[in-house]
Amino acid sequence: MTDPLSGIRVLDVATLFAGPLAATLLADFGAEVIKIEHPNGDPVRTHGAQRDGVGLWWKMLGRGKKSVTLYLGSPDGQEIFRRMVADADVVIENFRPGTLERWGLGYAELRAINPRLVLTRVTGFGQIGPYAHRPGFGTLAEAMSGFAAVTGEPDGPPTLPPFGLADGIAALATAFAVMTALRARDRDGHGQQIDMAIIEPILTVLGPQLIAYDQLGELQPRMGNRSANNAPRNTYRTADGGWVAVSTSAQSVAERVVRLVGRADLAEQPWFGSGAERARHADELDAAVGGWIVARSTEEVVRAFEKAEAAVAPIYTAADIMTDPQFQALGTIAELPDDELGLVKMQNVLFRLSATPGRIRWTGPPLGAHTAEVLAGYGVTADRLAELRTTGVVR
């Protein structure tokens, strides 16, 4: 069976984290992704949890990629990179704007080598504007997008997520942008440049906050786990010390919830028919729902809500995800062999295609595992490779 992106060659020269994750998603569906790392290695290799000195985040982010070391700041590295660009379909990079141009590897130079190339530039603030040259990370996007301003308890500080939320959203957007550019190339034969600013995709995910301010002058407040659009909507403690989340976006579900908890009278109130009005009575609704839930175990609560066709979910940790039957049925967790760690488990491919499903071909490889193999295809002999190692261009 042919992978859907078989035949697409991607040069991933990005780091931390949006650009590399976009390349990972492309690799999952068959693109040949050549990860070009600084001879010291991608910083993600040392980020986060490690086992026996092996970075676990890298095992996920580097999966399906061929690891090649190459110092692009040197003339020798630049010359080899130009050869690689000649038959590449996509380059994904996240250097500060102007860095590639300073190395003679800007879009104009790369397009002259390969007019079909899609150059994908992922930075914190984009390629233009007064902030373009600032260092940019997902945390800054979470701050500037309004996410932090609306997250947290009403009387607490703005709250940042404890993971790379903006980077992850930008990675999804970047993969979509690449596929859009490749589809356009199918039509007219020309590549193009993609300018992806990490501060932008998260704005779309945050919904109508901008148009609400434009039209009404309203700013969304911090509401903790509540919503301004419906209630009951919160997390609730159970009798056995667990937590569950309840959502009532649909009116019919809200009615089922209050009947389930023995408060059918609430559904008769004149304000109950509107989600926004229910949100204004969240204290009363939370007291009714929370009081019923706290007297029962997590399993009892979930079973009762399921029987009533009301929406509930237990609050999971990674340990719960690993054993959940729904995730198992979907194949959400993949188990893979790894030369350094043995068997490892991680998130599987992002979605299921019925005819051309993706697959994880291998976990993140050791640094430079494919340098000799890949560079030999670009005319770098064993003797020349030894010279480049001596001068620090490769490792």
Side-chain angles (χ1 to χ4, degrees):
M1 185 178 294
T2 302
D3 293 316
L5 299 184
S6 177
I8 298 297
R9 177 171 290 174
V10 179
L11 304 182
D12 173 11
V13 296
T15 59
L16 300 178
F17 295 96
L21 181 54
T24 303
L25 301 177
L26 300 175
D28 283 348
F29 288 92
E32 180 190 12
V33 177
I34 300 173
K35 175 68 179 181
I36 298 177
E37 302 184 64
H38 188 281
N40 292 334
D42 188 313
V44 78
R45 289 181 178 273
T46 59
H47 267 61
Q50 299 192 11
R51 177 185 161 198
D52 299 330
V54 177
L56 302 182
W57 203 339
W58 165 253
K59 289 299 177 183
M60 174 193 166
L61 199 60
R63 71 192 197 189
K65 303 179 183 181
K66 297 178 179 178
S67 173
V68 172
T69 57
L70 189 65
Y71 178 46
L72 297 183
S74 70
D76 286 336
Q78 293 157 12
E79 191 271 330
I80 293 172
F81 184 70
R82 292 187 186 97
R83 290 189 226 169
M84 299 178 76
V85 164
D87 65 356
D89 296 284
V90 180
V91 170
I92 300 178
E93 64 95 3
N94 72 332
F95 297 107
R96 284 202 207 180
T99 300
L100 287 185
E101 285 75 10
R102 190 170 68 250
W103 290 340
L105 300 174
Y107 181 56
E109 291 82 3
L110 300 184
R111 181 176 56 184
I113 297 169
N114 180 358
R116 292 173 55 82
L117 182 72
V118 174
L119 176 60
T120 309
R121 318 192 78 166
V122 185
T123 57
F125 302 103
Q127 298 295 308
I128 59 174
Y131 305 158
H133 288 83
R134 290 183 181 178
F137 297 101
T139 298
L140 308 189
E142 290 144 12
M144 289 181 63
S145 64
F147 172 86
V150 302
T151 303
E153 295 299 324
D155 57 351
T159 302
L160 297 167
F163 64 98
L165 176 64
D167 279 298
I169 295 171
L172 295 171
T174 300
F176 174 62
V178 168
M179 297 310 300
T180 302
L182 291 175
R183 178 65 183 94
R185 191 186 71 174
D186 289 343
R187 184 186 62 232
D188 60 28
H190 301 297
Q192 59 184 296
Q193 184 172 209
I194 296 170
D195 181 4
M196 177 62 67
I198 297 174
I199 59 173
E200 291 185 298
I202 191 172
L203 288 174
T204 297
V205 175
L206 283 166
Q209 62 168 355
L210 295 183
I211 193 171
Y213 179 73
D214 173 64
Q215 295 296 305
L216 303 173
E218 292 183 353
L219 293 174
Q220 182 177 338
R222 289 191 289 281
M223 301 185 67
N225 291 317
R226 288 179 172 177
S227 167
N229 302 312
N230 63 81
R233 194 265 198 182
N234 213 325
T235 59
Y236 305 92
R237 193 71 181 260
T238 59
D240 55 358
W243 290 87
V244 296
V246 172
S247 178
T248 58
S249 295
Q251 177 70 20
S252 59
V253 173
E255 293 172 2
R256 291 173 198 150
V257 169
V258 294
R259 291 193 185 105
L260 172 63
V261 303
R263 292 298 308 274
D265 60 296
L266 291 172
E268 305 303 321
Q269 298 299 317
W271 47 262
F272 196 86
S274 161
E277 286 298 318
R278 293 201 310 275
R280 294 187 180 95
H281 291 79
D283 287 344
E284 185 176 358
L285 290 165
D286 276 346
V289 175
W292 185 89
I293 288 176
V294 77
R296 292 160 177 81
S297 70
T298 302
E299 183 179 353
E300 289 175 313
V301 171
V302 172
R303 188 166 57 243
F305 267 72
E306 184 174 6
K307 184 178 180 180
E309 298 184 352
V312 71
I315 303 296
Y316 274 177
T317 66
D320 302 307
I321 294 168
M322 289 290 196
T323 59
D324 180 84
Q326 181 62 30
F327 286 127
Q328 290 178 349
L330 293 172
T332 305
I333 309 300
E335 185 173 58
L336 306 157
D338 181 82
D339 291 340
E340 296 175 290
L341 300 174
L343 289 177
V344 299
K345 292 182 180 180
M346 65 178 67
Q347 300 94 319
N348 209 335
V349 298
L350 197 59
F351 46 83
R352 288 163 294 282
L353 297 178
S354 61
T356 54
R359 59 195 173 98
I360 302 173
R361 287 172 284 180
W362 57 79
T363 58
L367 178 62
H370 302 92
T371 299
E373 169 198 333
V374 171
L375 295 190
Y378 294 97
V380 179
T381 66
D383 288 344
R384 178 58 175 153
L385 188 64
E387 293 175 3
L388 294 170
R389 284 193 169 123
T390 300
T391 58
V393 176
V394 303
R395 178 172 175 176

